[in-house]
Amino acid sequence: MSAKHPIVAITGSSGAGTTSVTRTFENIFRRESVNAAIVEGDSFHRYDRTSMKVAMAEAETAGNRNFSHFGEDANLFEELEALFRDYGEAGVGRSRKYLHDAQEAAPYAQEPGTFTPWETLPASELLFYEGLHGGVTTDKVDIARHVDLLIGVVPVINLEWIQKLHRDKSTRGYSTEAVTDVILRRMNEYVHYICPQFTRTHINFQRVPVVDTSDPFIARTIPTPDESLVVIRFANPAGFDFPYLLSMLHDSFMSRANTVVVPGGKMDLAMQLIFTPMILRLMERRKKAYAI
């Protein structure tokens, strides 16, 4: 953690909704004039799309049916920790972009599924990471310890699968069977690499549908925000004005001393109310550190 060079990380599984949360933070950064360097977690995958297919086939031939983007072997955990460490120490680091589709790839004259070259981060006041592994800890790395504000986005599992199924089928052209195979392949590493991060987060957002999602593989629509509740868990509730939050978020309530439940349609507002003061405190702490 660093007073001069703070790091905010959003961590969550594929299909969890971290991209939507990132948009909320981008609005906060723009409104509060915070110069943030934004890093996508996909840029720290070890393989591009073609190489990943080869690596998966080799792993399966060797009897490993659990090789996936969730695990250590398919990612550059040490490089990600180096970025967080270097940024925390001196506000510097290197990153790149993973080009998911033709639209993202066109400005770079590259094929979709490839990486741009590594580049030095531009000058910034804060590093913002969004991806799968912002809070990963293994016997080799401890990425979570470098993060000043770590946020988990973790819908209940059936909703997460519904969101992934609809996204991958509509935007990436995958079949239900192909997405199901990916989900099954990732399950072991989901348990060992994704889930443990949510015990290290400062705040978790968990969307819970209030409609039937018993069989996510046949669901025709994603439950809307109005068909959901959002459970917000604070690891350390000290310093949060819960009466104020409840008054600002109509129909919200506290289910535990450190947990607020809000209507799904109020999730963005809840994030604005919770995180804007936290970002401003990080900026004030940064200002004071430079004044010493």
Side-chain angles (χ1 to χ4, degrees), residues 155-227:
V156 293
I157 193 70
N158 279 20
L159 176 57
E160 187 173 299
W161 289 346
I162 290 172
Q163 292 181 160
K164 179 170 177 56
L165 281 157
H166 280 256
R167 185 198 65 185
D168 287 3
K169 290 166 65 178
S170 63
T171 65
R172 301 179 183 178
Y174 295 168
S175 66
T176 298
E177 293 74 20
V179 182
T180 303
D181 181 69
V182 171
I183 290 171
L184 292 172
R185 180 185 298 275
R186 290 175 167 180
M187 188 51 58
N188 181 68
E189 293 183 331
Y190 182 93
V191 170
H192 289 95
Y193 291 95
I194 304 299
C195 285
Q197 295 183 80
F198 302 122
T199 64
R200 307 179 190 113
T201 48
H202 299 107
I203 303 177
N204 281 338
F205 283 76
Q206 183 170 49
R207 191 152 78 93
V208 181
V210 292
V211 294
D212 184 17
T213 59
S214 302
D215 187 348
F217 301 99
I218 64 167
R220 296 187 178 184
T221 60
I222 300 173
T224 67
D226 289 338
E227 296 172 328

Side-chain angles (χ1 to χ4, degrees), residues 16 31 46 68 77 83-84 94 102 132 144 152 155 164 174 179 195 225 229 263 278:
R31 186 179 64 243
R46 189 178 300 276
S68 79
F77 284 173
L83 168 65
F84 282 15
R94 294 197 316 151
L132 299 171
K164 179 170 177 56
Y174 295 168
V179 182
C195 285
L229 296 173
M278 298 182 79

Side-chain angles (χ1 to χ4, degrees), residues 13 18 35 79 83 135 155 225 234 238 242 260 286:
S13 175
T18 56
N35 180 17
E79 285 82 351
L83 168 65
F234 299 78
F242 291 115
V260 176
R286 181 178 187 271

Side-chain angles (χ1 to χ4, degrees), residues 102-169:
Q103 184 176 356
E104 287 187 5
Y108 299 93
Q110 293 183 209
E111 291 296 317
T114 60
F115 297 105
T116 62
W118 291 98
E119 294 183 349
T120 300
L121 290 177
S124 60
E125 299 173 302
L126 175 150
L127 177 66
F128 180 86
Y129 166 95
E130 177 260 320
L132 299 171
H133 301 115
V136 158
T137 296
T138 70
D139 58 352
K140 295 180 181 178
V141 301
D142 185 354
I143 294 170
R145 71 187 177 95
H146 300 283
V147 182
D148 297 271
L149 176 57
L150 181 59
I151 301 151
V153 181
V154 50
V156 293
I157 193 70
N158 279 20
L159 176 57
E160 187 173 299
W161 289 346
I162 290 172
Q163 292 181 160
K164 179 170 177 56
L165 281 157
H166 280 256
R167 185 198 65 185
D168 287 3
K169 290 166 65 178

